[in-house]
Amino acid sequence: MDWNNTKSIFIMVFFVLNIFLLYQFLEKINDSQLESFTEPSTEELLKEDEISIETQLPKQKLKDQFLIAQSKTFEKKDIQHLKNQNAKIIDDKKLVGTFKTPVGMKSEINAADLDIFLKEYILNGNEYHFWSYDEISQTIICYQVADKKMFFNNSKGKVTLYLNKKGEIVSYEQMYLEGIEKFNKPKELTSALNAIGALYQNGDIDPKSKVTNVKLGYYNSLQTTSVSHLLVPTWWVVIDDETDLFVNAFDKEVIELNTEEKILE
């Protein structure tokens, strides 16, 4: 065998192989640069569809963790000193109160007035906050709050107030979550803007819409037993002051279930 010829062939093969590998490497770099160059940002996508953000979004990176809570079992001692009402316990987990004298409210329902009412008349009332007022059914919904974060759509941590035709509160129903503890290590949350982007990609935000409110709270992720609940950090996004949307703040998963009954029962 001619060693010089063999050596030349090996050199040529390695040369061609190196050119091929270099070509593939440059192709990958090109593709990567092209992808990063052509893929529009969330802000660009929203702007293209004339979707505006009318509220301030948190700029700093946030961390949070799961919460575990238990449904409270009410006892007779819980209702003995409630003001201006006859109260009874239903199936251990629900407290129902009827006011001896209806409690008047201003014609325009607002959160500040309700905070005062809750503290005065409701057991652990300082742990609830106004969520919604339905003029048709004449009901006010308040959800439980922990560390200034609301338990969104959670019937197990909820006060429902019933009004008469005069706009006075005549009765209420209450459920309460207690023994609230943090679970697992804190994890970095997806940003509020990324949550809005997830809703956009999911088709939940129409063109020319306005994002009017964004807040961090908790959504019921799992009911582990009849009384124990796992709550996940969740972004609440309001569209045009009327549509409530929710996004898991850990994995950007859009919470599709629209009613608390579907997720809790």
Side-chain angles (χ1 to χ4, degrees), residues 96-259:
V96 176
T98 303
F99 291 104
K100 298 173 183 177
T101 302
V103 181
M105 298 295 291
K106 292 180 181 177
S107 56
E108 186 175 333
I109 305 295
N110 66 73
D113 289 339
L114 278 167
D115 282 345
I116 294 171
F117 168 85
L118 291 166
K119 288 175 185 176
E120 186 170 358
Y121 294 103
I122 304 298
L123 182 69
N124 300 322
N126 62 319
E127 296 179 40
Y128 294 86
H129 192 65
F130 171 71
W131 171 255
S132 66
Y133 168 53
D134 188 326
E135 292 186 45
I136 297 174
S137 64
Q138 284 291 284
T139 56
I140 296 171
I141 302 298
C142 303
Y143 287 118
Q144 209 169 325
V145 174
D147 193 25
K148 297 182 180 180
K149 300 186 187 82
M150 183 172 282
F151 298 168
F152 301 126
N153 277 20
N154 198 317
S155 64
K156 309 304 180 185
K158 173 182 176 184
V159 168
T160 305
L161 306 174
Y162 297 94
L163 287 68
N164 60 20
K165 292 181 180 179
K166 297 179 182 180
E168 301 168 320
I169 299 173
V170 293
S171 62
Y172 70 91
E173 294 179 356
Q174 177 185 11
M175 298 186 80
Y176 179 72
L177 290 171
E178 63 179 2
I180 299 167
E181 296 180 356
K182 294 181 178 180
F183 178 72
N184 275 1
K185 294 180 180 178
K187 291 170 57 179
E188 188 170 313
L189 304 180
T190 189
S191 69
L193 182 61
N194 283 341
I196 294 168
L199 291 167
Y200 174 82
Q201 296 288 352
N202 202 52
D204 293 317
I205 305 179
D206 295 328
K208 298 185 179 180
S209 295
K210 295 179 180 179
V211 178
T212 50
N213 201 359
V214 178
K215 283 188 179 177
L216 186 63
Y218 296 95
Y219 212 101
N220 200 85
S221 174
L222 180 66
Q223 186 167 324
T224 55
T225 70
S226 60
V227 295
S228 188
H229 310 271
L230 184 67
L231 308 173
V232 63
T234 298
W235 287 110
W236 167 45
V237 180
V238 183
I239 308 299
D240 296 324
D241 280 327
E242 59 182 25
T243 304
D244 300 314
L245 302 171
F246 301 95
V247 179
N248 185 315
F250 282 148
D251 60 15
K252 293 195 300 183
E253 182 181 356
V254 175
I255 298 174
E256 301 286 358
L257 301 176
N258 295 317
T259 62

Side-chain angles (χ1 to χ4, degrees), residues 24-41:
Q24 282 197 318
F25 177 70
L26 292 174
E27 279 275 289
K28 284 184 179 179
I29 290 178
N30 250 352
D31 289 344
S32 175
Q33 288 177 338
L34 185 63
E35 186 178 31
S36 64
F37 181 76
T38 58
E39 187 177 341
S41 66

Side-chain angles (χ1 to χ4, degrees), residues 60-85:
Q60 71 274 28
K61 290 183 179 180
L62 300 174
K63 286 187 175 184
D64 207 339
Q65 57 203 109
F66 287 103
L67 297 182
I68 287 184
Q70 286 77 42
S71 290
K72 176 176 175 59
T73 298
F74 291 103
E75 302 176 23
K76 286 186 179 181
K77 65 180 181 180
D78 293 321
I79 63 176
Q80 286 176 349
H81 303 293
L82 292 175
K83 185 178 176 181
N84 180 37
Q85 59 188 274

